[in-house]
Amino acid sequence: MRGIFISMEGPDGSGKSTQIELLKKYFEDKGTECIITREPGGTRISEAVRAVILNKDYTEMDYMTELLLYASARAQLVSEVILPALEEGKCVISDRFVDSSAVYQGIARGLGVDTVYEINKYATRGRFPDKTFLLDLPAEVGISRKKKQAELDRMEREALDFHERVAAGYREMAERDTERIVRIDATKSVEEIHAAIIEEVEELIK
Ligand code: TYD
């Protein structure tokens, strides 16, 4: 038995969590057990790493340190949660995965996508998602949604031009891998976005 691995990507505030919940419900209605994981986090060790990464006081954090911390949180999540669930035939939906590192650290921080993949081939054990949905949204829309919710973390405090590089970086990644990454207009309604996702998922599980 082999499970299905889906990741949800997009700039901060793109509505990933809402779509993940709806997708989980879709799988469960079909009788497929489904787990949701979030990055960075999802295991107690990864959550501890997350607290270091997003701590707004650590303004001196080196970009390579940041990349390696995300990769270490991911390595623990993959080995402790994702691979075992897939082996049991479950569906795994991850709120962010390796494409977040490619875009935020590789493109927006300028470390290079190749460097990110090199490191992450170890962190992921080579297991990439079967499908990735990119909820595409203009940077300023995402950040203004976030500002309304809660105190901003270290990444969200970055200037608007950083978030613009993120939004553009996601589009670049989607063009590089049109097989796996499906770009969806996240300015549409929740129902329209969900319908677009389901259409792709039905193709995948056919
Ligand atoms: P989170 O609160 O989970 O953001 P969101 O709710 O928008 O998903 O914080 C994760 C932050 O970390 C987010 O700003 C994106 C960033 N990030 C990276 O820079 N690289 C990565 O590899 C991952 C997984 C996240």
Side-chain angles (χ1 to χ4, degrees):
M1 237 188 349
R2 191 176 169 277
I4 305 162
F5 182 20
I6 292 174
S7 64
M8 202 67 77
E9 294 280 354
D12 298 79
S14 55
K16 297 188 300 302
S17 336
T18 310
Q19 291 302 328
I20 288 170
E21 286 300 333
L22 291 172
L23 185 56
K24 178 173 194 263
K25 186 163 184 312
Y26 163 86
F27 276 112
E28 287 178 345
D29 288 347
K30 284 177 96 66
T32 306
E33 210 181 316
C34 194
I35 63 159
I36 295 175
T37 58
R38 74 154 178 182
E39 281 217 349
T43 71
R44 64 184 190 142
I45 294 171
S46 313
E47 291 291 337
V49 176
R50 175 189 175 91
V52 174
I53 299 176
L54 297 179
N55 187 329
K56 63 179 170 34
D57 296 333
Y58 293 164
T59 49
E60 76 276 29
M61 192 182 290
D62 173 72
Y63 294 165
M64 183 53 76
T65 308
E66 183 180 284
L67 170 63
L68 291 167
L69 285 172
Y70 278 113
S72 63
R74 182 167 300 129
Q76 186 66 29
L77 180 68
V78 167
S79 72
E80 193 182 322
V81 179
I82 297 181
L83 292 181
L86 292 174
E87 268 156 34
E88 287 168 20
K90 291 181 186 158
C91 156
V92 176
I93 310 174
S94 188
D95 187 342
R96 301 188 178 281
F97 199 61
V98 66
D99 299 296
S100 281
S101 287
V103 170
Y104 283 77
Q105 283 66 52
I107 299 173
R109 296 293 200 208
L111 293 176
V113 173
D114 291 344
T115 306
V116 172
Y117 279 148
E118 181 61 25
I119 287 164
N120 276 278
K121 84 181 179 215
Y122 302 106
T124 61
R125 274 72 165 172
R127 184 65 167 94
F128 269 51
D130 301 307
K131 233 354 132 196
T132 296
F133 293 103
L134 161 58
L135 301 187
D136 189 10
L137 193 77
E140 66 279 8
V141 180
I143 282 302
S144 72
R145 282 187 193 170
K146 279 274 166 183
K147 276 187 188 148
K148 285 187 198 128
Q149 290 169 8
E151 210 197 342
L152 300 183
D153 64 39
R154 194 176 58 86
M155 301 302 281
E156 288 160 356
R157 279 165 189 260
E158 285 292 335
L160 183 60
D161 73 308
F162 175 79
H163 294 287
E164 274 161 359
R165 288 200 298 280
V166 166
Y170 268 124
R171 286 175 207 132
E172 186 184 321
M173 293 306 295
E175 274 161 32
R176 274 195 196 209
D177 194 346
T178 50
E179 266 292 296
R180 176 173 63 87
I181 307 179
V182 179
R183 180 176 157 183
I184 293 174
D185 178 358
T187 61
K188 291 204 168 134
S189 73
V190 169
E191 295 73 24
E192 283 172 306
I193 297 171
H194 179 59
I197 290 175
I198 295 308
E199 202 177 304
E200 290 289 337
V201 167
E202 293 196 329
E203 267 306 301
L204 180 72
I205 60 183
K206 208 157 65 181

